[in-house]
Amino acid sequence: MAEDMLTQSIQQLKNHKIRVTPQRQIILTYLVTHHNHPSVETIYQDLETQLPNLSLATVYNTLKLFVDLGIVIELQNGDAGTHYDFFGRPHYHVVCENCGKITDVFEPDLSSVEVKAAEISGYLVTGHNMEVYGLCPDCQKALGVTQPSDLKRLNLNLSHSE
Amino acid sequence: MAEDMLTQSIQQLKNHKIRVTPQRQIILTYLVTHHNHPSVETIYQDLETQLPNLSLATVYNTLKLFVDLGIVIELQNGDAGTHYDFFGRPHYHVVCENCGKITDVFEPDLSSVEVKAAEISGYLVTGHNMEVYGLCPDCQKALGVTQPSDLKRLNLNLSHSE
DNA sequence: GTAGTTGCAAAGGATTTGCATTAAG
DNA sequence: CTTAATGCAAATCCTTTGCAACTAC
């Protein structure tokens, strides 16, 4: 399964006549096997044992390449940098506005929204990115928030909280 | 209508005991009356006649404040900086991957996705942000692309184009 | 062999911060 | 008055770039 995704993505590189370097294979493998929505820095640190001379610039370049190919998508969670996620199956994300945690959600399918958006806007639609914001279960407990009205008590930098 | 939105947003500042300074009023008015999805730099330049001593830092601070209050949302379009949009009525955006243009779409309502995401993830959901990617009508013409299969001919940095 | 990639360091650019000054309530 | 907000400049941090050395094909 993860193997398939990896093989398929490498084939995609070959189709585009993009060289399959060890760096690209290792970063790709990392992304296929980790669902932790890593930042560039996280990927860089996690791979330093496997690739001692790996350059941050290479991580940046490689991720940009993967994003352009549609293999990987970019995410923001309110922290400083950009996070990345292998996009083998369409899904979207729920982001915790308190701790920045990102959770995958595979339902419902939002392709109908793409169709509708194309009709209304006249764009030739190629994809989408959905982010839902909220408080993750852990932060709800930690903050003593269990219903929407509790949010008003908080002086957090929570967006969308009226 | 635009007046209402402005009054309502200013009331929101007062409710939060946030001072209603001329800078905040002018930036808010700008956002309520412009649907051009401006960057910080654009806002800064457009307001320099009205507020000769306006500081870029104030624009940044003010926008961050408005985002935290949920009055305004942030958008990325692939260009360098962040863009902003007054969020008086829920809507989402279609972004051109070639020229960066951003178009508002007010249908369909996606609140049901929030509900579903909350059920699945256990988050207390407060909002969402949907971005649909594609080629705007102008860029379709300019590039001679009229159907999805034409995208394969392009060597552009288009994400999601396989 | 040769064009595309890498690693490194330096450069670039968006955003934030510190602090004295100003002004909202 | 009191405290938050502003403006300015410097600082910070993420990301990109230039270029010589290297390597996938």
Side-chain angles (χ1 to χ4, degrees), chain A residues 58-84:
Chain A
T58 298
V59 180
Y60 275 103
N61 289 336
T62 303
L63 289 171
K64 186 182 211 175
L65 174 72
F66 291 167
V67 168
D68 286 345
L69 290 171
I71 293 175
V72 153
I73 62 171
E74 295 186 328
L75 302 170
Q76 311 292 334
N77 72 341
D79 293 357
T82 302
H83 295 252
Y84 293 86

Side-chain angles (χ1 to χ4, degrees), chain A residues 79-147:
Chain A
D79 293 357
T82 302
H83 295 252
Y84 293 86
D85 193 18
F86 180 75
F87 205 62
R89 287 186 186 289
H91 61 279
Y92 58 92
H93 299 91
V94 190
V95 182
C96 181
E97 295 185 283
N98 188 235
C99 71
K101 181 161 55 199
I102 300 173
T103 301
D104 293 330
V105 174
F106 289 84
E107 297 171 56
D109 175 34
L110 295 175
S111 53
S112 64
V113 180
E114 287 192 10
V115 174
K116 192 73 185 169
E119 281 174 26
I120 293 174
S121 67
Y123 278 54
L124 179 60
V125 170
T126 55
H128 72 264
N129 186 34
M130 172 78 157
E131 288 187 5
V132 175
Y133 305 111
L135 268 191
C136 72
D138 288 346
C139 287
Q140 287 174 48
K141 275 180 211 154
L143 299 171
V145 174
T146 56
Q147 43 183 307

Side-chain angles (χ1 to χ4, degrees), chain A residues 37-52:
Chain A
H37 311 97
S39 64
V40 171
E41 199 62 40
T42 301
I43 296 171
Y44 178 66
Q45 286 172 12
D46 287 358
L47 295 181
E48 72 184 351
T49 53
Q50 274 184 76
L51 282 172

